[in-house]
Amino acid sequence: MLEQTIRIEGSQIILRPIEYGDTDRIVKWRNSERVRSRFIYREPFTVEGHCRWIETMVNTGKVVQFMICEKEGMRPVGSVYFRDINREKKSAEYGIFLGEDDALGKGYGTETANLAVEYAFSRMGLKQLILRVFTDNEAAVRSYRRVGFKEEKVLKDVECSDGERKDMLLMSLYNSRYVQKEKLISFVIPCYRSELTLPKVVEEIGGAMKTLQEKGKKYDYEIVLVNDCSPDDTFSVIRKLCEKDRRIKGVNLARNFGQHAALMAGFHQIKGDVVICLDDDGQTPADEVGKLLEEIEKGSDVVYARYEHKKHSLFRNFGSWVNEEMAHIMLGKPKDLCVSSYFAAKRFVVEEVKRYTNAYPYVIGLVLRTTKSITNVAVCHREREIGTSGYTFGKLIGLWFNGFTAFSVKPLRIATAMGVACSAAGFLYGIYTVVKKLVNPNVPLGFSSLMAAIVFMGGMIMVMLGLVGEYVGRMYISMNSSPQFVIRETINDET
């Protein structure tokens, strides 16, 4: 039986043990429609039933229950309890309700939860608390999250005693004194034309993380799915996935901004300690995520997947090769480092990447300028089972331009060098022409060679002007605050 002298004092409320004298108040509260609708058991509450509850459950120590009282005047406004206490596993189910309507919205629930959880962990010696809450009780869910409870799973179509069926969240909170803090892994997936492949990718991520947890890895995870204005039904699929699992967040962009802009949009939604980016088509093996995380644990800031045998088309493989060479020449990427769309990065790297707010983001360039602690791990690359790549020739050209115009001035220097070389060649050719004419006055002046020189020099000038114009144009767009992305809506966003 709970000692009646116990008083747990907060800033606004005081928790005291429940007494027989609270029976009428509890019965009144539990029979009110607002409170009754939040419980699975909805039969009429009676005085006899509550007295029996105190006698058989509270007085025997099977349940620990407190009354929530306002600090000023000690008016009872609700109750909090721990039931189904397992002394061996040191776990219990947590429950709370506010009975007085005018007590809502004052922060009593959150303060009660903090006080009660501290009592359960420090005085009762519990290691884990669990609770069940209807998904439509959004205020309660937010309160539990603020205290630290995390969603374990969604309980679908739970039947109440009156026959109504509703979805519930199963949430839990672990005592940090006994359990090592879990590291949150955030998966970011840009989505385009992936309505058929995305569910399998998400399922594979869940299976891979479960396998790592079974091996003793203290990982939790979230998935951020960014719909880059896909013309098919991709966002409807994302919505359904979000409804099934609260750990999945959906982001719907207002128009197509490109893969790297979609990644940036996802980076602004993550909460994890480590961020993992992969494709939506299933070609990047989510079941090998453990390899990337292992390298992160060893100390690398960023880990890129290296494919021994790529299953892309010849066109995509050529594009990847050009991208690699461009990153090496223009951005200073080490020659032996392979970059890909499948990579893991520590949180501080992503935070630095997010500081880039201009249009035309190029994530690889942002990563390379942030850290040099970048490694590779070998993973398998799969054949595409459904559909074709979303990268067209035009999009690849745009990606390359993003890379060398946003993060390097080498193209301008190359243009300058070519201009100097052409000027020198023209000057030397002019001297050669004069000398040749002096040596042999009968040499005819050539119209063809003159036109060839003009066309060549004119072409070089136009190329250089175009390159300078590309830089100036991008500067103009950035000065006008052109957005990297525009979010139309989000799902399961609790930030």
Side-chain angles (χ1 to χ4, degrees), residues 324-344:
E324 289 277 347
E325 292 301 311
M326 186 267 303
H328 170 62
I329 297 171
M330 302 295 183
L331 307 179
K333 178 186 73 68
K335 188 68 175 178
D336 59 346
L337 176 67
C338 293
V339 295
S340 66
S341 59
Y342 190 17
F343 67 94

Side-chain angles (χ1 to χ4, degrees), residues 84-220:
D84 298 333
I85 301 174
N86 188 318
R87 304 295 179 183
E88 293 183 1
K89 294 184 178 180
K90 297 185 181 298
S91 64
E93 181 168 346
Y94 167 85
I96 180 177
F97 65 91
L98 295 176
E100 299 294 338
D101 293 341
D102 61 358
L104 302 175
K106 295 183 177 181
Y108 291 169
T110 300
E111 185 174 355
T112 296
N114 282 315
L115 294 174
V117 166
E118 175 60 26
Y119 178 84
F121 286 163
S122 62
R123 298 288 294 276
M124 296 174 64
L126 298 181
K127 294 182 179 181
Q128 180 190 21
L129 296 176
I130 62 173
L131 63 84
R132 291 171 292 172
V133 58
F134 290 117
T135 54
D136 61 358
N137 192 358
E138 296 178 357
V141 172
R142 286 196 297 269
S143 177
Y144 296 143
R145 288 195 181 117
R146 283 195 290 268
V147 176
F149 281 92
K150 293 185 177 180
E151 295 91 338
E152 293 287 344
K153 61 181 178 179
V154 178
L155 307 174
K156 304 292 290 184
D157 292 330
V158 176
E159 185 175 3
C160 302
S161 63
D162 61 357
E164 183 181 12
R165 292 182 176 273
K166 300 177 70 175
D167 293 345
M168 299 191 80
L169 280 179
L170 179 65
M171 306 181 74
S172 66
L173 177 64
Y174 291 89
N175 189 342
S176 59
R177 299 174 184 175
Y178 296 96
V179 181
Q180 180 183 347
K181 182 182 178 182
E182 291 182 332
K183 183 173 289 187
L184 181 61
I185 310 300
S186 296
F187 291 86
V188 178
I189 306 178
C191 305
Y192 189 79
R193 295 186 183 275
S194 55
E195 61 176 323
L196 300 178
T197 58
L198 195 56
K200 185 176 179 181
V201 173
V202 170
E203 181 182 358
E204 188 173 25
I205 290 174
M209 296 306 294
K210 183 178 180 181
T211 300
L212 291 175
Q213 290 166 354
E214 290 173 350
K215 292 180 179 180
K217 300 293 185 180
K218 300 300 180 182
Y219 292 141
D220 194 5

